[in-house]
Amino acid sequence: MPAMLWRPAYVESSAWIEHVPFALWIVQAIRPAVIVELGSHWGTSYFAFCQAADRLAYGAQCYAVDTWMGDEHSGTYGEQVFEQVSRFNKTHFSGFSDLIRSTFDQALTHFADGSIDLLHIDGLHTEEAVRHDFESWLPKLSDRGVVLLHDTNVRERGFGVFKLFAELASRYPSFEFSHGHGLGVIAVGRQVPAAIAMLVEAGKVTDSPTLVRALFSRLGQACSAELSSSKQAEQIKKLNATIGRISEQVVQQQQMLEQTQSNMSRQVGELDQAQQQLAMLEQAHAFERGQLAERITLLEQIRAQLQSDNTNLQSRLDHLSIRLAGAENDRTTRAAEATRHLQEKETLTLQLVALRSEAGETADRTRQMEARLLEQETVITQFRQLALANSKTLQDHVDRLRSDLNAAEVEAKALRLSLSWRLTAPLRLLLRPFLR
């Protein structure tokens, strides 16, 4: 079976996917001993060369040169790209394939002049960059060397491969595919491989280039369709896995929902019971609040009555105190008058003694003094009688005031007892429900 009809062993998203059948064909057609690719990215083109070399088993050596960091045309990318390419290379082609992680110029020292039979240039696509790569690596090509230039049919974003290919096509045998962003084939060696010579000649025959291009384009489209199918299969697998996870989550969520509904039903029942208990408590509290309001009203009435009785009692006590103070003042005044009368009596007595002493001197004075003494004694007697009468009257008045005071104290004590009884009786009535 022609190699171009083989099923690709490795497919990955790439602008090169539609040229995989040609990569398989050219390795079978010219059997290059050394294959070098400048710019591998995901490895779609490189692993097509390696697949053909491995299956044909003629002893080829393959090398991929790339920094695997990207550029302004491919974009920058992470380490996962190199890890995938390296893993696939070690698994399938480690016996004859090496990945050289460096710039294109740095890798030049790894190859002798005239040692490379097939060179694929797919690095930075500006005219200056691709021209530099071609001219730098041209001495490394053998007498039957062939160069492949990708993206010859791109005329945007600064791509200039088409300019270099047009120039080289005027100097070397060449053939160009326009599909898959364009691929230029240039036989730069002095000994052009027969298959490449036939391809170049076919490009000069009427309708032959169209048939060749159509053939490889259809084969390339099949590879692209297989990639799409593979990607769709992966997506379907991922979707199925996602659907499986979602189904498990749905089952779990349904179980959780059922559990939640059960919990909600139980909580609703508990809530209804709690609401019923709350309603009963509110009724009980309302009844207690009514009773408490009645008790507060009663207490307020009792308090007002007690305040009124206390005011009356205090008024009576104040009146009695004033009367008692007045009586004490009268008693003090009358006692002072009695004391004064006694003092006058003592004075008169002294005067009487003096007069009696003077009686010995003269009879006249004695009679006069005796007469005066009699008069004074009469006055004294009258004062004494008056003092005795006043003292008895004052004593009687004091006794009456004391009697009134005792009666007031008895009445106050009785009133306090009455108030105490009137106070404690409603309190006992209020506290009776709590003292049971």
Side-chain angles (χ1 to χ4, degrees), residues 41-42 66-69 77-88 99-101:
H41 201 175
W42 286 105
D66 202 327
T67 61
W68 279 279
M69 296 175 64
Y77 43 82
E79 193 67 15
Q80 72 277 6
V81 176
F82 177 74
E83 290 176 356
Q84 176 176 319
V85 173
S86 178
R87 184 167 53 252
F88 190 86
L99 306 181
I100 301 175
R101 195 169 190 181

Side-chain angles (χ1 to χ4, degrees), residues 4 19-20 47 62 68 102 158 200 229 246 251 267 270 279 282 290 308 335 337-338 367 375 416 421 432:
M4 63 182 178
H19 297 297
V20 168
F47 288 137
C62 299
W68 279 279
S102 70
V200 172
S229 176
I246 293 175
V251 172
Q267 291 174 356
E270 293 176 354
E282 287 180 349
S308 177
E337 290 179 355
R367 286 191 298 269
E375 291 176 1
R416 289 193 184 95
W421 175 254
R432 183 179 299 171

Side-chain angles (χ1 to χ4, degrees), residues 266-278:
R266 177 175 54 80
Q267 291 174 356
V268 168
E270 293 176 354
L271 180 60
D272 291 338
Q273 184 178 0
Q275 288 177 344
Q276 293 175 0
Q277 293 178 354
L278 180 60

